[in-house]
Amino acid sequence: MLLLGCIKEVSDFELVVSLPNGLSGFVPVTQISDAYSKMLSKQVAQGELLEDLNSLSDMYSPGTLVRCIVTSAEKSADGRRSIKLSINPKNVNKGLNASALTSGMLLSGFVSSAEDHGYLIDIGVIGSHAFLPRQKAQNYIKAVKRGPDLKIGQNLNCVIEEVKNEGRIVRLSVDRSEVAASLATEQQNWTLSNLLPGLVVKARVQKVAPLGISLTFLSSFTGIVDFMHVDPDKSMNYSPNQVVKACILSIHPTSKVVRLTLRQAFLHPGGSPNQISSDRIGAVVEESTVKAFYKQFGAIFELDDGTCAFARLKHLSKNRKSFKPAAFKTGCKHRSRIIDYSLMDEMCILSLKYQIIEARFLQYQDIHTGDVVQGKVLALKPIGMQVKVTDGIKGLVPSMHLADVILKQPEKKYSIGDEVRCRVLECNPAERKLFLTLKKTLVQSKLPILSNYEDAEPGLITHGFVVCAREFGCIVKFYNDVKGLVPKNELSSEPITCPDKVFHEGQVVKVMVLKCEPQQERLLLSFRLSGRPVPEGKSECTPKKKQEVKYQIGEMVDVKVLKKKENGLEVSILEDEGNVTASLPTVYLSDFVANCKLLWHCLQEGDVLPRVMCLSDKGDQIILCRKSAVISAVQEEQVVRSFSEIQPGMLLTGYVRNVMPFGVFVEFPFGVTGLAPKVSMSDKFVTDTKDHFVVGQTVIAKVMSIDEEKQRVLLNLKVSECSSGDSAAESFSLLNQYFKEIKEIRNLLRRRGESGMARGLCELVPGKELQLVVQDVKEDGSVLFSGSCIRGLTVTATRYHLGGRVIVPGEKTKGLVLHVDALTSQVYVSLREELLKQ
């Protein structure tokens, strides 16, 4: 598909291009032009920099319009669309041939070489040689101010001045006034197979509709102007048969649908669309007024400064179920946040989603050195770990920073999708580069962040990490690449002859600033804080008094078990250096009732539990929750924060608060509760409610009705009513979570290793084949077994799982593990042949 785009960002290896209708794509450095790619290959082969090879930033700048062609469009794992583009003229102009070239045509050309009297220009047309005389290029070179000459790989808007030998020789002009005045006409013999984006045409209005305008142009062609590309100053003044100037935005390769724009910035080739201040991106607009709503696309809003903005349908509400079209009538006001600016649409892009409006980070500019951020592991590579902070922000944790110690096998500690808590080492918004650390001591440090030499005042104590240990001492690095020297005599109060034997690369240290010369970027440090070095990760600061710390519902924290109580765990929150205690009830340890008791049994004082969610904070007591389904619901905004947000038909994740003879009370995050009457509790007939639910059990409930006057909510807990659609996927997801927790429990038991029996339980997994000896046959037909691998455990097979076999005490047989009950040390096995064969 051919498109007109506008360069949004320029980096070393790609151009980020704004496309119509709020989309973005990227042009890899290898898709500029053949001449530029040839020079890149030559530089790689020689292994040294070529003098004639210019970087993309030397040739391109944001705001430049370019013609491009889509080479691939893929959806990433997180659902984001990745559009790969090419601006290479052999791809963009492939519909043209030499015989079709005529004077006055406007084409994209790229400088392929500099000659004595001008430049050879690659226009991508086979059999044509295009030449730009030097005198025709001088005014353009002076205007763009990018040096005395055009550069190989530079993109130009070229007007054909003369065609010779049936298109084999073409003379061009890049004079800005000629380019700006160029107009595609019938005499130039354009066809649907070679029509190009960026051409300006005279068109006639055919029909005016709410979604846009249909036009005719170049005698026989028809095109569409959608509602985002009508000139905002004339939007109400278009009428059939009116003659207008329009610019071609895109041509679909198969349907040949042509889309155009009537916006003034595009009606003079070589111009640039209007831009907004980068400070505006991320701003929260308290009142954005609906101007128009399009049910299949989204809504146009007027912002507080009078400018127009667009919000896609998916950004009008937190999910499809909560979307209310009535809220988007003309004149309705909404709170929103500017998440982007579309250069090609000259509009801000909005989101009305609560989680985006309240998001701490939206773009790289929002992140500052030293910030603590939550992320998700995207990939593990030799250079480190790629972490997703938000949909549009990714960072790198260098391999040295994966832990306080260097990890030889990081894949054993981290998995794709794991949630991680990092600290920002360095952020470069211009290059979209973000470097993070996972070193626990740095992440949890309460000491000042040293991110520039000006802040390094003598006496300052802070954390850093060793990057070099030699005979002269240690070089310690901080944030933003600030580094300093700890000379040998300042390593310790005791002489250290070989620093490289005591200190290692990546080691977190606590240092004191002795002297700093900011202009020379020289920093002198000492490990001698109190007569000894502090190379370990433990803080020496005096314990603080317990603070009154308020935690938000949904906030994720890491905790350490202080004490096991009958109904749960007393824990300390590590983010506040253990000064804040909280309660983690047993029933909130897991979504699975059986796993709650197992986890309580296996956890010991001193154990650390990461990623626990604050469920309530009433000042005197903080209640925490580790239920993954509840945490997911809060993080994905599938929750109600107040009674007023509840709507019949909603599916909500909660937990059983109380089981009564007449029904079950269910509580949801943020404190909203509801009742599921006995008749709506189960698909089966309910005699006793306690046979079906227990307090703390995770449930998915459907809202049946609400009584606003009495503030009551009636719920339905029937499985048949509470599926969101893909019940198989939901079941597999729950099963996967169950086995993940069982694996965690096994690891806890294995780490304890208190007894041979505990170790034996860890090795027994469903599906494992055991060599057994029959110990006893009971009256009900069930059998007890013994064996060398199951000492201290009770191993049983029911009569059904004997598979019709008649067995006697002392007989040896094979059995397949069906289930392991770690609490009672009971193992259930099967002797059935059909299972053993599998």
Side-chain angles (χ1 to χ4, degrees):
M1 186 173 187
L2 286 167
L3 294 156
L4 185 65
C6 183
I7 295 174
K8 194 175 180 182
E9 295 170 19
V10 182
S11 66
D12 292 339
F13 301 108
E14 67 181 26
L15 304 174
V16 179
V17 178
S18 169
L19 300 174
N21 300 113
L23 297 174
S24 286
F26 71 96
V27 181
V29 71
T30 53
Q31 290 294 330
I32 303 298
S33 71
D34 285 351
Y36 193 71
S37 295
K38 190 175 179 181
M39 291 187 73
L40 286 172
S41 300
K42 187 178 177 182
Q43 179 169 286
V44 171
Q46 292 183 358
E48 57 184 43
L49 296 173
L50 295 180
E51 192 176 332
D52 294 338
L53 182 62
N54 291 279
S55 67
L56 292 181
S57 57
D58 287 335
M59 300 185 292
Y60 296 93
S61 57
T64 305
L65 291 172
V66 289
R67 296 172 182 83
C68 38
I69 188 168
V70 177
T71 58
S72 68
E74 299 170 354
K75 267 195 175 181
S76 58
D78 58 1
R80 291 169 68 84
R81 191 179 292 277
S82 175
I83 302 173
K84 192 175 178 181
L85 306 166
S86 172
I87 58 173
N88 192 319
K90 75 175 183 184
N91 298 324
V92 174
N93 297 337
K94 65 182 179 182
L96 288 166
N97 54 51
S99 61
L101 300 177
T102 60
S103 298
M105 274 187 168
L106 180 70
L107 303 175
S108 288
F110 289 75
V111 179
S112 58
S113 69
E115 308 297 328
D116 290 339
H117 300 293
Y119 303 91
L120 289 179
I121 306 296
D122 179 7
I123 58 172
V125 178
I126 297 171
S128 284
H129 299 279
F131 184 71
L132 173 64
R134 192 170 287 275
Q135 70 268 23
K136 284 285 184 180
Q138 287 308 308
N139 288 338
Y140 178 82
I141 291 170
K142 288 176 184 176
V144 296
K145 298 177 182 177
R146 287 187 176 272
D149 286 300
L150 296 178
K151 301 171 177 65
I152 294 174
Q154 189 168 342
N155 175 42
L156 301 170
N157 275 308
C158 309
V159 175
I160 296 178
E161 283 204 326
E162 186 180 16
V163 179
K164 293 182 179 179
N165 299 339
E166 296 180 335
R168 287 193 286 274
I169 297 173
V170 178
R171 191 174 83 242
L172 305 171
S173 171
V174 291
D175 185 86
R176 301 185 86 182
S177 58
E178 291 180 35
V179 170
S182 66
L183 203 66
T185 62
E186 290 89 340
Q187 290 72 34
Q188 293 167 7
N189 297 320
W190 292 102
T191 68
L192 279 175
S193 58
N194 65 21
L195 203 61
L196 293 172
L199 294 178
V200 176
V201 297
K202 278 191 176 179
R204 187 178 295 275
V205 176
Q206 198 173 31
K207 185 181 177 183
V208 180
L211 286 175
I213 299 170
S214 60
L215 304 171
T216 58
F217 62 98
L218 296 178
S219 297
S220 58
F221 301 155
T222 58
I224 300 166
V225 178
D226 68 38
F227 61 89
M228 292 180 74
H229 281 274
V230 173
D231 185 346
D233 296 329
K234 303 175 183 176
S235 58
M236 304 301 291
N237 300 324
Y238 292 106
S239 57
N241 292 317
Q242 182 181 347
V243 176
V244 293
K245 275 178 79 174
C247 176
I248 296 172
L249 283 182
S250 66
I251 304 101
H252 195 278
T254 51
S255 66
K256 301 300 181 185
V257 171
V258 180
R259 293 188 177 273
L260 304 98
T261 179
L262 299 176
R263 287 182 169 270
Q264 290 296 317
F266 301 95
L267 302 185
H268 302 284
S272 293
N274 296 315
Q275 301 188 44
I276 62 163
S277 168
S278 58
D279 297 341
R280 192 81 169 128
I281 309 293
V284 175
V285 182
E286 294 299 331
E287 285 193 351
S288 44
T289 308
V290 178
K291 284 193 73 178
F293 172 66
Y294 306 94
K295 63 180 180 181
Q296 290 181 315
F297 306 103
I300 299 284
F301 292 85
E302 185 176 317
L303 304 184
D304 47 12
D305 61 356
T307 59
C308 286
F310 177 67
R312 292 191 189 90
L313 204 58
K314 68 176 183 179
H315 277 285
L316 293 180
S317 60
K318 62 184 178 183
N319 54 47
R320 286 183 181 179
K321 291 178 182 175
S322 62
F323 179 67
K324 299 175 183 175
F328 296 94
K329 291 178 180 177
T330 302
C332 290
K333 297 182 186 295
H334 293 270
R335 191 166 183 253
S336 63
R337 189 172 188 180
I338 300 172
I339 58 173
D340 200 0
Y341 180 75
S342 173
L343 286 162
M344 283 304 296
D345 304 308
E346 297 184 305
M347 276 193 192
C348 292
I349 306 298
L350 299 180
S351 178
L352 275 63
K353 286 187 174 184
Y354 174 84
Q355 66 267 38
I356 290 179
I357 294 172
E358 298 298 326
R360 187 179 167 201
F361 307 118
L362 197 63
Q363 52 182 346
Y364 286 88
Q365 286 85 346
D366 299 331
I367 296 180
H368 302 102
T369 301
D371 282 345
V372 175
V373 300
Q374 293 288 147
K376 188 176 283 188
V377 178
L378 279 181
L380 286 165
K381 300 180 179 180
I383 59 168
M385 176 198 291
Q386 195 175 16
V387 174
K388 173 185 168 184
V389 180
T390 68
D391 282 342
I393 302 174
K394 294 175 185 174
L396 178 73
V397 181
S399 52
M400 180 200 290
H401 282 275
L402 291 173
D404 275 338
V405 295
I406 304 296
L407 297 181
K408 291 182 179 178
Q409 294 178 299
E411 64 277 2
K412 289 190 174 181
K413 182 177 175 69
Y414 300 106
S415 300
I416 307 301
D418 282 356
E419 295 277 350
V420 288
R421 190 165 177 263
C422 321
R423 189 159 229 155
V424 177
L425 286 173
E426 189 177 347
C427 184
N428 185 339
E431 296 182 16
R432 297 171 67 86
K433 289 182 179 177
L434 176 65
F435 295 99
L436 307 164
T437 181
L438 280 168
K439 290 183 180 292
K440 201 168 185 179
T441 307
L442 292 180
V443 174
Q444 295 182 356
S445 175
K446 300 294 181 182
L447 295 176
I449 299 295
L450 185 55
S451 58
N452 59 71
Y453 289 96
E454 285 74 18
D455 291 341
E457 296 179 358
L460 177 77
I461 295 175
T462 186
H463 278 121
F465 53 94
V466 176
V467 291
C468 175
R470 297 287 187 271
E471 66 279 354
F472 55 79
C474 287
I475 293 176
V476 176
K477 205 170 183 181
F478 304 96
Y479 299 84
N480 278 349
D481 208 31
V482 172
K483 46 187 175 283
L485 172 68
V486 182
K488 199 171 180 179
N489 63 317
E490 292 293 338
L491 293 176
S492 173
S493 54
E494 299 296 324
I496 294 177
T497 53
C498 299
D500 57 323
K501 303 291 184 190
V502 180
F503 302 95
H504 60 266
E505 187 181 1
Q507 188 171 357
V508 178
V509 290
K510 190 186 279 187
V511 297
M512 179 189 284
V513 175
L514 296 179
K515 184 182 177 183
C516 183
E517 298 174 16
Q519 298 297 323
Q520 289 75 36
E521 295 189 347
R522 289 179 186 165
L523 185 58
L524 192 65
L525 308 164
S526 175
F527 287 156
R528 295 169 62 180
L529 310 180
S530 56
R532 61 181 180 81
V534 190
E536 78 285 349
K538 293 182 181 177
S539 174
E540 285 195 349
C541 57
T542 54
K544 299 182 290 183
K545 290 182 180 179
K546 184 168 179 176
Q547 304 176 46
E548 284 294 322
V549 182
K550 189 73 178 171
Y551 284 89
Q552 300 294 321
I553 296 172
E555 189 171 345
M556 304 304 294
V557 294
D558 297 342
V559 299
K560 184 177 182 179
V561 179
L562 295 178
K563 193 186 296 181
K564 288 179 74 173
K565 296 184 175 180
E566 189 177 341
N567 61 348
L569 305 170
E570 185 181 321
V571 299
S572 63
I573 297 175
L574 295 177
E575 277 79 354
D576 284 285
E577 298 185 341
N579 290 322
V580 177
T581 59
S583 175
L584 179 51
T586 302
V587 292
Y588 292 165
L589 281 170
S590 168
D591 286 315
F592 308 96
V593 176
N595 285 1
C596 290
K597 295 174 184 176
L598 274 172
L599 283 163
W600 184 91
H601 176 75
C602 297
L603 288 165
Q604 299 295 327
E605 291 177 10
D607 283 346
V608 173
L609 292 173
R611 305 286 299 151
V612 180
M613 187 182 79
C614 178
L615 197 58
S616 72
D617 182 359
K618 296 174 182 174
D620 56 336
Q621 189 180 33
I622 300 168
I623 305 295
L624 303 175
C625 173
R626 203 168 174 265
K627 292 175 176 285
S628 60
V630 177
I631 292 171
S632 294
V634 173
Q635 292 180 336
E636 294 171 13
E637 286 292 317
Q638 302 289 329
V639 290
V640 289
R641 295 170 181 271
S642 64
F643 185 87
S644 60
E645 293 183 18
I646 300 175
Q647 297 292 329
M650 278 184 166
L651 288 177
L652 300 171
T653 304
Y655 35 88
V656 175
R657 179 71 179 269
N658 206 351
V659 181
M660 304 298 286
F662 52 83
V664 170
F665 284 99
V666 177
E667 185 173 355
F668 304 103
F670 298 95
V672 177
T673 58
L675 171 68
K678 197 172 178 180
V679 292
S680 302
M681 279 177 52
S682 173
D683 289 305
K684 298 176 183 177
F685 181 74
V686 178
T687 305
D688 188 344
T689 53
K690 290 182 179 178
D691 292 340
H692 294 263
F693 292 97
V694 296
V695 172
Q697 183 175 344
T698 305
V699 293
I700 295 174
K702 184 175 185 178
V703 178
M704 298 303 292
S705 64
I706 54 174
D707 185 333
E708 293 187 15
E709 188 179 338
K710 296 181 179 178
Q711 297 274 294
R712 287 179 184 172
V713 184
L714 282 183
L715 305 170
N716 191 328
L717 297 179
K718 291 180 180 180
V719 174
S720 60
E721 296 282 339
C722 297
S723 172
S724 61
D726 194 346
S727 56
E730 289 175 357
S731 300
F732 278 118
S733 176
L734 286 169
L735 200 59
N736 183 51
Q737 180 61 29
Y738 173 79
F739 284 122
K740 189 177 178 181
E741 288 181 9
I742 290 294
K743 185 179 179 182
E744 178 188 11
I745 290 164
R746 283 203 185 88
N747 288 337
L748 284 168
L749 285 169
R750 190 177 286 116
R751 201 165 69 233
R752 293 276 115 68
E754 297 159 345
S755 64
M757 188 173 76
R759 284 193 294 273
L761 275 170
C762 296
E763 302 305 322
L764 294 176
V765 294
K768 184 171 183 176
E769 196 174 280
L770 303 176
Q771 297 294 331
L772 303 169
V773 178
V774 178
Q775 190 178 357
D776 187 24
V777 180
K778 295 187 175 182
E779 290 181 7
D780 61 1
S782 62
V783 177
L784 283 173
F785 298 95
S786 61
S788 58
C789 59
I790 53 170
R791 287 196 181 97
L793 304 175
T794 304
V795 181
T796 310
T798 62
R799 185 172 183 173
Y800 170 79
H801 279 289
L802 296 179
R805 289 175 55 181
V806 178
I807 55 177
V808 295
E811 184 180 337
K812 292 182 179 179
T813 184
K814 289 180 181 178
L816 197 78
V817 176
L818 295 175
H819 176 65
V820 180
D821 189 333
L823 282 176
T824 59
S825 300
Q826 285 192 316
V827 181
Y828 298 90
V829 299
S830 177
L831 276 58
R832 295 185 73 89
E833 284 296 324
E834 62 267 30
L835 291 177
L836 286 165
K837 283 177 182 177
Q838 290 179 5

